[in-house]
Amino acid sequence: MGDFDTVAAMLRRMASRPTAAQQRQARRDGLQPLVVAARAQLASNGSNKTYKLSQSLGIASKDAVTSSAGPIRGKKHASVAVLVEFGTAPHWQPNRFGGTMHPGARAKPFMRPAYDMTKAQIVMRAGQSLVQAIFRG
């Protein structure tokens, strides 16, 4: 009877965990290596001249169950990340120097290579954080 009570108590504690805050923290813990790797990729491919794009990278909670890593909306230079990642075709810029033709820019991927390098680490770190939350006191 004592073993059953112990297991039942443990299952009751597990049922109330992880809380929404603990889940959010686990997502942040997991995604942190991705942000670090993306910043390193920017530096290695020469896209870190002003550091503004690098500084715009972070982790944001989109809703109660979703977080994302990458350029954070509202931070300076966040909108140019897609242009760096995928490059641009030659295009007309009417408001620059009275109108000029931009030659385009080659793609310098940084988010996808960072993800490819860290995807196993993301899962492992998020999982460890969730296990700690579930079994903690």
Side-chain angles (χ1 to χ4, degrees):
M1 190 77 159
D3 289 337
F4 176 79
D5 292 336
T6 303
V7 170
M10 183 184 295
L11 289 173
R12 278 193 298 278
R13 277 198 317 271
M14 287 171 53
S16 65
R17 295 178 186 271
T19 65
Q22 290 168 326
Q23 292 174 43
R24 192 169 35 257
Q25 184 61 46
R27 293 191 308 263
R28 291 186 75 76
D29 291 345
L31 289 170
Q32 191 59 41
L34 175 60
V35 173
V36 171
R39 287 181 177 145
Q41 285 293 121
L42 281 171
S44 71
N45 72 14
S47 298
N48 223 4
K49 293 175 185 162
T50 66
Y51 292 94
K52 289 180 181 172
L53 178 54
S54 182
Q55 291 168 351
S56 78
L57 299 178
I59 301 166
S61 293
K62 297 180 103 177
D63 55 41
V65 295
T66 309
S67 294
S68 64
I72 304 299
R73 188 179 314 161
K75 288 194 174 184
K76 191 168 182 88
H77 259 55
S79 62
V80 302
V82 70
L83 303 176
V84 174
E85 183 80 12
F86 298 109
T88 63
H91 57 281
W92 179 252
Q93 293 183 319
N95 296 326
R96 191 166 205 193
F97 309 118
T100 186
M101 190 68 180
H102 187 285
R106 69 180 178 84
K108 294 183 179 180
F110 65 99
M111 286 303 295
R112 182 59 193 221
Y115 172 74
D116 288 341
M117 289 186 308
T118 61
K119 59 187 171 188
Q121 193 177 3
I122 291 168
V123 173
M124 184 181 70
R125 287 177 55 123
Q128 287 172 339
S129 186
L130 285 171
V131 166
Q132 287 176 357
I134 291 168
F135 291 105
R136 200 176 301 145

